[in-house]
Amino acid sequence: MKLRSAILSVIFLLILIIAKGQEKTSDNKLYYKGQLSTWGHVNTNNPYPFYLGGRYIPQTNFEMNLKNNRLIDFEASVNIYGQAGIHFFDSASTTTNLDLYRIWGRYSTEHFEFRLGMQKINFGTASMMRALRWFDQVDPRDPLGLTDGVWAALGRYYFLDNTNIWIWALYGNNNTKGMEAIKTKQDTPELGGRIQFPVPKGEAGLSYHHRNVDSRGFMDEIPEFEKINETRVGIDAKWDVTIGLWLEAAWMTKNKNIGIFTNQEILTLGSDYTFGIGNGLNLTLEHMLLSYDENAFGFENNYHFTGLSLSYPLGMFDNIQGIFYYDWENNSSCNFINWFRQFNKTTLYVMAYLNPKNRALPSMGIDSKENLFGGLGVQIMYVFNH
Protein backbone atom coordinates (compact mmCIF):
# COMPACT_ATOMS: atom_id res chain seq x y z
CA MET A 1 0.00 0.00 0.00
CA LYS A 2 2.80 2.44 0.88
CA LEU A 3 4.61 1.68 -2.40
CA ARG A 4 1.42 2.20 -4.39
CA SER A 5 0.78 5.55 -2.69
CA ALA A 6 4.37 6.62 -3.33
CA ILE A 7 4.12 5.73 -7.02
CA LEU A 8 0.88 7.68 -7.33
CA SER A 9 2.38 10.71 -5.61
CA VAL A 10 5.42 10.71 -7.88
CA ILE A 11 3.42 10.38 -11.11
CA PHE A 12 0.86 12.98 -10.08
CA LEU A 13 3.79 15.28 -9.40
CA LEU A 14 5.18 14.54 -12.87
CA ILE A 15 1.81 15.40 -14.39
CA LEU A 16 1.81 18.71 -12.54
CA ILE A 17 5.35 19.43 -13.76
CA ILE A 18 4.19 18.76 -17.33
CA ALA A 19 1.30 21.13 -16.78
CA LYS A 20 3.58 23.84 -15.44
CA GLY A 21 5.73 23.54 -18.54
CA GLN A 22 2.72 24.12 -20.81
CA GLU A 23 1.16 27.49 -21.53
CA LYS A 24 -2.10 27.58 -19.61
CA THR A 25 -5.43 29.20 -20.45
CA SER A 26 -7.72 30.89 -17.94
CA ASP A 27 -10.35 28.13 -18.08
CA ASN A 28 -9.20 26.10 -15.10
CA LYS A 29 -12.15 24.65 -13.18
CA LEU A 30 -12.78 23.12 -9.79
CA TYR A 31 -16.22 21.62 -9.31
CA TYR A 32 -18.04 19.30 -6.98
CA LYS A 33 -20.96 16.94 -7.42
CA GLY A 34 -22.44 13.98 -5.61
CA GLN A 35 -24.97 11.19 -5.64
CA LEU A 36 -27.17 10.34 -2.67
CA SER A 37 -29.21 7.13 -2.71
CA THR A 38 -31.50 5.71 -0.04
CA TRP A 39 -33.46 2.46 -0.07
CA GLY A 40 -35.75 0.09 1.72
CA HIS A 41 -35.50 -3.64 1.06
CA VAL A 42 -37.99 -6.36 2.03
CA ASN A 43 -37.11 -10.06 1.68
CA THR A 44 -38.19 -12.69 4.21
CA ASN A 45 -35.39 -15.05 3.06
CA ASN A 46 -32.69 -12.69 4.38
CA PRO A 47 -31.17 -12.88 7.89
CA TYR A 48 -33.16 -9.69 8.54
CA PRO A 49 -36.37 -9.38 6.53
CA PHE A 50 -36.23 -5.57 6.33
CA TYR A 51 -33.24 -3.41 5.42
CA LEU A 52 -32.86 0.35 5.36
CA GLY A 53 -29.77 1.82 3.75
CA GLY A 54 -28.12 4.84 2.28
CA ARG A 55 -25.10 5.69 0.16
CA TYR A 56 -23.40 8.97 -0.65
CA ILE A 57 -20.69 9.35 -3.28
CA PRO A 58 -19.21 12.87 -3.23
CA GLN A 59 -16.95 13.66 -6.20
CA THR A 60 -14.47 16.49 -6.80
CA ASN A 61 -12.94 17.29 -10.20
CA PHE A 62 -10.23 19.76 -11.12
CA GLU A 63 -9.42 20.71 -14.72
CA MET A 64 -6.32 22.51 -15.96
CA ASN A 65 -6.88 23.63 -19.53
CA LEU A 66 -3.73 24.09 -21.63
CA LYS A 67 -3.11 25.48 -25.07
CA ASN A 68 -3.71 23.38 -28.23
CA ASN A 69 -6.68 21.49 -26.70
CA ARG A 70 -4.58 19.84 -24.03
CA LEU A 71 -6.04 19.06 -20.65
CA ILE A 72 -4.90 17.85 -17.26
CA ASP A 73 -7.68 16.83 -14.89
CA PHE A 74 -8.11 15.01 -11.61
CA GLU A 75 -11.02 13.18 -10.01
CA ALA A 76 -11.50 12.01 -6.43
CA SER A 77 -14.56 10.39 -4.84
CA VAL A 78 -15.43 8.21 -1.87
CA ASN A 79 -18.20 5.69 -1.21
CA ILE A 80 -19.95 6.33 2.12
CA TYR A 81 -22.30 3.47 2.88
CA GLY A 82 -24.59 2.48 5.71
CA GLN A 83 -27.26 -0.19 6.10
CA ALA A 84 -29.40 -1.52 8.93
CA GLY A 85 -31.01 -4.95 8.93
CA ILE A 86 -34.13 -5.11 11.08
CA HIS A 87 -36.10 -7.98 12.52
CA PHE A 88 -38.95 -6.13 14.18
CA PHE A 89 -39.40 -6.68 17.92
CA ASP A 90 -36.43 -9.05 17.91
CA SER A 91 -33.04 -7.81 16.71
CA ALA A 92 -31.16 -5.48 14.38
CA SER A 93 -27.74 -5.19 12.79
CA THR A 94 -25.96 -2.21 11.26
CA THR A 95 -23.17 -1.99 8.71
CA THR A 96 -21.21 1.14 7.83
CA ASN A 97 -18.29 1.62 5.51
CA LEU A 98 -16.15 4.36 4.00
CA ASP A 99 -14.08 3.41 0.95
CA LEU A 100 -12.10 5.27 -1.64
CA TYR A 101 -14.17 5.02 -4.83
CA ARG A 102 -12.11 6.83 -7.48
CA ILE A 103 -8.89 8.83 -7.46
CA TRP A 104 -7.03 9.46 -10.69
CA GLY A 105 -5.16 12.04 -12.70
CA ARG A 106 -5.18 12.35 -16.49
CA TYR A 107 -3.28 14.10 -19.24
CA SER A 108 -5.11 14.26 -22.57
CA THR A 109 -4.85 15.75 -26.04
CA GLU A 110 -7.13 15.49 -29.07
CA HIS A 111 -5.92 11.96 -29.84
CA PHE A 112 -4.24 10.69 -26.68
CA GLU A 113 -4.95 10.27 -22.97
CA PHE A 114 -3.02 8.84 -20.05
CA ARG A 115 -4.85 8.16 -16.78
CA LEU A 116 -3.34 6.95 -13.53
CA GLY A 117 -4.96 5.92 -10.25
CA MET A 118 -8.01 4.05 -9.01
CA GLN A 119 -10.30 4.00 -12.01
CA LYS A 120 -12.95 2.05 -13.89
CA ILE A 121 -11.76 0.06 -16.92
CA ASN A 122 -14.29 -1.78 -19.05
CA PHE A 123 -14.78 -2.61 -22.70
CA GLY A 124 -16.55 -5.03 -25.01
CA THR A 125 -19.88 -5.27 -26.77
CA ALA A 126 -22.10 -7.45 -24.54
CA SER A 127 -24.43 -5.82 -22.03
CA MET A 128 -25.78 -8.52 -19.68
CA MET A 129 -23.28 -11.42 -19.72
CA ARG A 130 -19.86 -10.10 -20.62
CA ALA A 131 -17.05 -12.44 -21.49
CA LEU A 132 -14.70 -9.44 -21.32
CA ARG A 133 -15.74 -8.34 -17.84
CA TRP A 134 -12.11 -8.48 -16.75
CA PHE A 135 -11.77 -5.52 -14.37
CA ASP A 136 -15.22 -4.34 -13.27
CA GLN A 137 -18.24 -5.80 -11.49
CA VAL A 138 -21.08 -3.81 -13.03
CA ASP A 139 -24.38 -5.65 -12.72
CA PRO A 140 -26.91 -4.64 -15.44
CA ARG A 141 -29.64 -4.97 -12.82
CA ASP A 142 -28.05 -2.26 -10.66
CA PRO A 143 -29.62 1.08 -11.71
CA LEU A 144 -26.60 2.98 -10.34
CA GLY A 145 -24.00 0.89 -12.22
CA LEU A 146 -21.67 0.79 -9.21
CA THR A 147 -18.36 -1.04 -9.33
CA ASP A 148 -15.08 -0.99 -7.42
CA GLY A 149 -12.21 0.68 -9.22
CA VAL A 150 -8.82 -0.84 -9.99
CA TRP A 151 -5.39 0.69 -9.40
CA ALA A 152 -4.00 1.10 -12.88
CA ALA A 153 -2.21 3.20 -15.47
CA LEU A 154 -4.13 3.40 -18.75
CA GLY A 155 -3.01 4.97 -22.02
CA ARG A 156 -5.24 5.32 -25.08
CA TYR A 157 -4.56 6.69 -28.55
CA TYR A 158 -7.38 7.52 -30.99
CA PHE A 159 -6.79 7.50 -34.75
CA LEU A 160 -8.83 9.50 -37.25
CA ASP A 161 -10.54 6.38 -38.63
CA ASN A 162 -11.93 5.53 -35.14
CA THR A 163 -9.26 2.92 -34.48
CA ASN A 164 -7.96 3.20 -30.93
CA ILE A 165 -5.23 1.44 -28.99
CA TRP A 166 -5.27 0.82 -25.23
CA ILE A 167 -2.29 -0.13 -23.04
CA TRP A 168 -2.67 -0.72 -19.30
CA ALA A 169 -0.73 -1.77 -16.24
CA LEU A 170 -2.40 -2.78 -12.96
CA TYR A 171 -0.76 -3.02 -9.57
CA GLY A 172 -1.89 -3.46 -5.97
CA ASN A 173 -5.32 -4.98 -6.62
CA ASN A 174 -5.47 -7.71 -4.00
CA ASN A 175 -9.14 -8.69 -4.44
CA THR A 176 -10.53 -10.65 -7.37
CA LYS A 177 -11.78 -8.52 -10.26
CA GLY A 178 -14.47 -9.15 -12.85
CA MET A 179 -15.01 -12.89 -13.24
CA GLU A 180 -11.71 -13.93 -11.66
CA ALA A 181 -11.80 -16.99 -9.39
CA ILE A 182 -8.20 -16.82 -8.09
CA LYS A 183 -6.51 -13.71 -6.73
CA THR A 184 -3.53 -12.04 -8.32
CA LYS A 185 -0.19 -12.77 -6.63
CA GLN A 186 0.49 -9.94 -4.23
CA ASP A 187 2.99 -7.23 -5.23
CA THR A 188 3.12 -8.29 -8.89
CA PRO A 189 2.06 -6.11 -11.85
CA GLU A 190 -0.54 -6.99 -14.47
CA LEU A 191 -0.03 -5.90 -18.07
CA GLY A 192 -2.26 -5.83 -21.11
CA GLY A 193 -3.69 -3.95 -24.03
CA ARG A 194 -6.45 -3.71 -26.57
CA ILE A 195 -7.08 -2.49 -30.11
CA GLN A 196 -10.50 -1.46 -31.41
CA PHE A 197 -11.05 -0.88 -35.10
CA PRO A 198 -13.93 -0.32 -37.54
CA VAL A 199 -15.29 -3.16 -39.66
CA PRO A 200 -18.06 -3.05 -42.29
CA LYS A 201 -21.30 -2.02 -40.53
CA GLY A 202 -19.68 -2.15 -37.11
CA GLU A 203 -16.56 -2.40 -35.00
CA ALA A 204 -14.33 -5.10 -33.54
CA GLY A 205 -11.67 -5.47 -30.88
CA LEU A 206 -8.78 -7.67 -29.73
CA SER A 207 -7.69 -7.73 -26.08
CA TYR A 208 -4.79 -9.24 -24.14
CA HIS A 209 -3.92 -9.43 -20.45
CA HIS A 210 -1.22 -11.15 -18.39
CA ARG A 211 -0.94 -11.59 -14.64
CA ASN A 212 0.50 -13.92 -11.98
CA VAL A 213 -1.92 -15.75 -9.68
CA ASP A 214 -1.44 -17.49 -6.33
CA SER A 215 -3.50 -20.67 -5.89
CA ARG A 216 -2.49 -21.28 -2.27
CA GLY A 217 -5.54 -21.50 -0.05
CA PHE A 218 -7.95 -21.28 -2.97
CA MET A 219 -9.38 -24.82 -2.88
CA ASP A 220 -8.31 -28.04 -1.21
CA GLU A 221 -8.88 -30.01 -4.42
CA ILE A 222 -6.40 -28.11 -6.61
CA PRO A 223 -2.57 -27.95 -6.41
CA GLU A 224 -1.11 -24.99 -4.57
CA PHE A 225 1.41 -22.79 -6.39
CA GLU A 226 2.79 -19.47 -5.23
CA LYS A 227 3.11 -18.17 -8.78
CA ILE A 228 1.20 -19.19 -11.90
CA ASN A 229 1.32 -17.26 -15.17
CA GLU A 230 -2.16 -16.51 -16.50
CA THR A 231 -2.76 -15.22 -20.03
CA ARG A 232 -6.07 -13.90 -21.33
CA VAL A 233 -7.04 -13.32 -24.95
CA GLY A 234 -10.34 -11.78 -25.96
CA ILE A 235 -12.18 -10.85 -29.14
CA ASP A 236 -15.36 -8.88 -29.63
CA ALA A 237 -17.35 -7.47 -32.52
CA LYS A 238 -20.62 -5.65 -33.08
CA TRP A 239 -22.63 -5.03 -36.25
CA ASP A 240 -25.69 -2.89 -36.96
CA VAL A 241 -27.57 -4.76 -39.71
CA THR A 242 -31.26 -3.92 -39.22
CA ILE A 243 -30.87 -5.58 -35.85
CA GLY A 244 -27.87 -5.26 -33.57
CA LEU A 245 -25.60 -8.31 -33.46
CA TRP A 246 -22.52 -8.87 -31.30
CA LEU A 247 -20.16 -11.43 -29.88
CA GLU A 248 -17.61 -11.57 -27.09
CA ALA A 249 -15.19 -14.41 -26.49
CA ALA A 250 -12.35 -14.89 -24.02
CA TRP A 251 -9.83 -17.61 -23.27
CA MET A 252 -7.90 -17.66 -19.98
CA THR A 253 -5.07 -20.17 -19.65
CA LYS A 254 -2.45 -20.88 -16.97
CA ASN A 255 1.02 -22.36 -17.39
CA LYS A 256 0.58 -24.86 -14.54
CA ASN A 257 -1.98 -27.60 -14.16
CA ILE A 258 -4.56 -26.74 -11.47
CA GLY A 259 -7.32 -29.02 -12.68
CA ILE A 260 -10.41 -27.57 -14.29
CA PHE A 261 -9.22 -24.04 -13.43
CA THR A 262 -6.27 -24.38 -15.83
CA ASN A 263 -8.33 -23.14 -18.78
CA GLN A 264 -11.50 -21.11 -19.00
CA GLU A 265 -13.41 -20.37 -22.19
CA ILE A 266 -16.30 -17.90 -22.40
CA LEU A 267 -18.44 -17.07 -25.43
CA THR A 268 -21.34 -14.62 -25.51
CA LEU A 269 -23.62 -14.04 -28.51
CA GLY A 270 -26.18 -11.25 -28.45
CA SER A 271 -28.74 -9.29 -30.42
CA ASP A 272 -31.12 -6.38 -29.87
CA TYR A 273 -33.97 -4.70 -31.70
CA THR A 274 -36.51 -1.98 -30.97
CA PHE A 275 -40.02 -2.92 -32.04
CA GLY A 276 -42.45 -0.22 -33.19
CA ILE A 277 -44.96 -1.08 -30.48
CA GLY A 278 -46.43 1.89 -28.63
CA ASN A 279 -43.54 4.08 -27.49
CA GLY A 280 -40.99 1.50 -28.67
CA LEU A 281 -40.20 -1.84 -27.05
CA ASN A 282 -36.49 -2.62 -26.89
CA LEU A 283 -35.53 -6.30 -26.62
CA THR A 284 -32.01 -7.60 -25.94
CA LEU A 285 -31.14 -11.29 -25.97
CA GLU A 286 -27.79 -12.85 -25.00
CA HIS A 287 -26.50 -16.38 -24.53
CA MET A 288 -23.28 -17.28 -22.70
CA LEU A 289 -21.26 -20.48 -22.82
CA LEU A 290 -18.88 -20.79 -19.87
CA SER A 291 -16.44 -23.71 -19.70
CA TYR A 292 -13.80 -24.78 -17.14
CA ASP A 293 -11.32 -27.34 -18.47
CA GLU A 294 -8.03 -28.96 -17.60
CA ASN A 295 -7.19 -29.01 -21.32
CA ALA A 296 -7.61 -25.97 -23.54
CA PHE A 297 -10.90 -25.95 -25.48
CA GLY A 298 -11.90 -29.31 -24.04
CA PHE A 299 -15.44 -28.04 -23.27
CA GLU A 300 -15.98 -30.84 -20.76
CA ASN A 301 -17.44 -28.72 -17.92
CA ASN A 302 -19.90 -26.43 -19.66
CA TYR A 303 -22.45 -24.00 -18.30
CA HIS A 304 -25.06 -22.21 -20.41
CA PHE A 305 -26.90 -19.02 -19.46
CA THR A 306 -29.47 -17.04 -21.43
CA GLY A 307 -30.35 -13.43 -20.67
CA LEU A 308 -33.35 -11.41 -21.84
CA SER A 309 -33.83 -7.68 -21.29
CA LEU A 310 -37.01 -5.77 -22.11
CA SER A 311 -37.29 -1.99 -21.84
CA TYR A 312 -40.35 0.17 -22.52
CA PRO A 313 -40.89 3.92 -21.95
CA LEU A 314 -44.32 4.41 -20.39
CA GLY A 315 -44.17 8.16 -20.93
CA MET A 316 -41.86 11.13 -20.83
CA PHE A 317 -40.63 10.36 -17.31
CA ASP A 318 -41.59 6.73 -16.63
CA ASN A 319 -39.86 3.57 -17.82
CA ILE A 320 -40.21 -0.11 -17.06
CA GLN A 321 -37.48 -2.69 -17.51
CA GLY A 322 -37.32 -6.43 -17.06
CA ILE A 323 -34.13 -8.53 -16.96
CA PHE A 324 -34.36 -12.31 -16.89
CA TYR A 325 -31.63 -14.98 -16.74
CA TYR A 326 -31.93 -18.71 -17.18
CA ASP A 327 -29.36 -21.25 -15.98
CA TRP A 328 -29.74 -24.30 -18.26
CA GLU A 329 -27.67 -26.69 -16.14
CA ASN A 330 -29.58 -26.04 -12.92
CA ASN A 331 -32.95 -25.29 -14.56
CA SER A 332 -33.26 -22.11 -12.53
CA SER A 333 -34.04 -18.51 -13.40
CA CYS A 334 -33.33 -15.04 -12.05
CA ASN A 335 -36.10 -12.49 -12.60
CA PHE A 336 -35.88 -8.74 -12.12
CA ILE A 337 -38.39 -5.96 -12.89
CA ASN A 338 -37.67 -2.25 -12.43
CA TRP A 339 -40.06 0.67 -12.78
CA PHE A 340 -38.46 4.09 -12.50
CA ARG A 341 -39.61 7.67 -12.75
CA GLN A 342 -36.98 10.26 -13.61
CA PHE A 343 -37.02 13.97 -12.87
CA ASN A 344 -34.39 16.67 -13.29
CA LYS A 345 -32.08 15.60 -10.45
CA THR A 346 -33.96 12.76 -8.78
CA THR A 347 -35.06 9.26 -9.75
CA LEU A 348 -37.42 6.89 -7.98
CA TYR A 349 -36.94 3.14 -8.54
CA VAL A 350 -39.32 0.34 -7.54
CA MET A 351 -37.66 -3.04 -8.09
CA ALA A 352 -38.97 -6.57 -7.59
CA TYR A 353 -37.08 -9.84 -8.05
CA LEU A 354 -37.46 -13.60 -7.78
CA ASN A 355 -34.12 -15.44 -7.70
CA PRO A 356 -32.74 -18.78 -6.50
CA LYS A 357 -31.80 -18.67 -2.83
CA ASN A 358 -28.29 -19.84 -3.74
CA ARG A 359 -26.64 -17.79 -6.45
CA ALA A 360 -26.70 -19.80 -9.69
CA LEU A 361 -25.24 -17.21 -12.06
CA PRO A 362 -21.61 -16.19 -12.45
CA SER A 363 -20.88 -13.38 -9.98
CA MET A 364 -22.30 -10.32 -11.69
CA GLY A 365 -22.30 -7.41 -9.34
CA ILE A 366 -22.09 -5.43 -6.17
CA ASP A 367 -24.13 -7.84 -4.03
CA SER A 368 -21.68 -10.71 -4.49
CA LYS A 369 -20.18 -10.32 -0.99
CA GLU A 370 -23.55 -10.78 0.73
CA ASN A 371 -26.35 -12.19 -1.39
CA LEU A 372 -29.38 -10.26 -0.16
CA PHE A 373 -31.19 -10.76 -3.47
CA GLY A 374 -31.91 -14.47 -3.18
CA GLY A 375 -35.59 -15.49 -3.11
CA LEU A 376 -38.54 -13.10 -3.50
CA GLY A 377 -38.09 -9.45 -2.59
CA VAL A 378 -38.86 -5.80 -3.27
CA GLN A 379 -36.57 -2.78 -3.11
CA ILE A 380 -37.50 0.90 -3.33
CA MET A 381 -34.68 3.32 -4.05
CA TYR A 382 -34.58 7.09 -4.24
CA VAL A 383 -31.59 8.77 -5.92
CA PHE A 384 -30.63 12.44 -5.82
CA ASN A 385 -27.84 13.80 -8.04
CA HIS A 386 -26.41 17.26 -7.51
Side-chain angles (χ1 to χ4, degrees), residues 5-17:
S5 300
I7 293 174
L8 280 174
S9 300
V10 169
I11 303 233
F12 281 178
L13 180 61
L14 290 176
I15 292 176
L16 289 173
I17 293 173

Side-chain angles (χ1 to χ4, degrees), residues 115-363:
R115 187 170 61 190
L116 176 77
M118 179 184 280
Q119 57 188 288
K120 175 183 175 182
I121 301 178
N122 67 343
F123 44 83
T125 55
S127 60
M128 290 183 290
M129 293 178 290
R130 297 163 45 214
L132 296 179
R133 189 168 63 89
W134 287 356
F135 308 125
D136 71 275
Q137 295 177 318
V138 174
D139 190 326
R141 297 167 295 184
D142 174 20
L144 303 183
L146 299 177
T147 180
D148 293 334
V150 292
W151 292 97
L154 172 66
R156 290 188 283 203
Y157 189 85
Y158 302 88
F159 295 89
L160 294 178
D161 65 350
N162 290 328
T163 297
N164 53 85
I165 295 176
W166 307 31
I167 297 177
W168 59 73
L170 279 65
Y171 184 81
N173 301 288
N174 297 323
N175 297 323
T176 55
K177 310 175 295 296
M179 295 180 66
E180 293 174 355
I182 307 176
K183 294 182 180 180
T184 301
K185 178 176 169 55
Q186 196 167 2
D187 298 326
T188 61
E190 307 176 50
L191 302 172
R194 170 176 172 81
I195 180 171
Q196 294 180 200
F197 49 90
V199 296
K201 298 186 180 297
E203 61 180 8
L206 298 172
S207 305
Y208 171 86
H209 187 70
H210 179 271
R211 68 176 183 136
N212 298 313
V213 302
D214 186 346
S215 67
R216 294 176 299 175
F218 172 61
M219 274 188 180
D220 294 336
E221 295 80 6
I222 69 169
E224 293 188 339
F225 295 100
E226 181 182 2
K227 180 179 178 181
I228 305 171
N229 293 331
E230 179 190 85
T231 299
R232 307 179 196 173
V233 179
I235 61 171
D236 61 283
K238 187 171 186 176
W239 303 270
D240 187 3
V241 285
T242 306
I243 63 173
L245 295 172
W246 59 84
L247 69 85
E248 278 190 13
W251 172 42
M252 283 144 278
T253 183
K254 299 172 181 62
N255 71 335
K256 294 181 181 178
N257 190 324
I258 53 173
I260 64 171
F261 291 96
T262 306
N263 290 277
Q264 182 183 19
E265 299 89 14
I266 311 176
L267 172 65
T268 298
L269 300 175
S271 177
D272 72 342
Y273 185 75
T274 300
F275 295 89
I277 301 174
N279 296 325
L281 174 65
N282 179 262
L283 183 150
T284 301
L285 182 67
E286 289 185 348
H287 184 83
M288 171 185 279
L289 165 63
L290 174 62
S291 182
Y292 292 90
D293 298 291
E294 184 173 352
N295 299 311
F297 305 105
F299 296 104
E300 295 178 355
N301 301 281
N302 299 330
Y303 302 88
H304 291 266
F305 305 94
T306 299
L308 172 66
S309 173
L310 300 170
S311 179
Y312 183 78
L314 298 173
M316 185 174 296
F317 304 106
D318 296 83
N319 289 266
I320 188 167
Q321 178 188 38
I323 300 178
F324 311 95
Y325 296 98
Y326 189 77
D327 177 356
W328 292 89
E329 274 58 49
N330 295 298
N331 294 320
S332 63
S333 63
C334 294
N335 308 278
F336 173 84
I337 296 176
N338 179 20
W339 168 82
F340 58 99
R341 183 175 180 85
Q342 190 163 3
F343 301 95
N344 185 26
K345 292 184 178 181
T346 64
T347 308
L348 174 65
Y349 299 91
V350 179
M351 297 167 278
Y353 58 86
L354 176 61
N355 298 324
K357 293 182 181 180
N358 57 340
R359 198 177 182 89
L361 289 171
S363 176

Side-chain angles (χ1 to χ4, degrees), residues 59-122:
Q59 176 181 317
T60 300
N61 292 79
F62 177 61
E63 295 181 356
M64 303 172 61
N65 289 277
L66 312 176
K67 290 292 186 180
N68 301 320
N69 294 321
R70 299 173 186 269
L71 173 71
I72 288 180
D73 63 327
F74 298 86
E75 178 176 305
S77 61
V78 295
N79 186 348
I80 306 169
Y81 170 88
Q83 181 167 266
I86 303 171
H87 195 293
F88 287 107
F89 312 111
D90 181 40
S91 59
S93 175
T94 59
T95 302
T96 59
N97 203 5
L98 172 62
D99 285 325
L100 189 62
Y101 191 62
R102 301 283 186 267
I103 180 166
W104 50 257
R106 175 174 57 185
Y107 173 75
S108 57
T109 68
E110 289 185 346
H111 300 287
F112 170 76
E113 69 169 324
F114 174 76
R115 187 170 61 190
L116 176 77
M118 179 184 280
Q119 57 188 288
K120 175 183 175 182
I121 301 178
N122 67 343

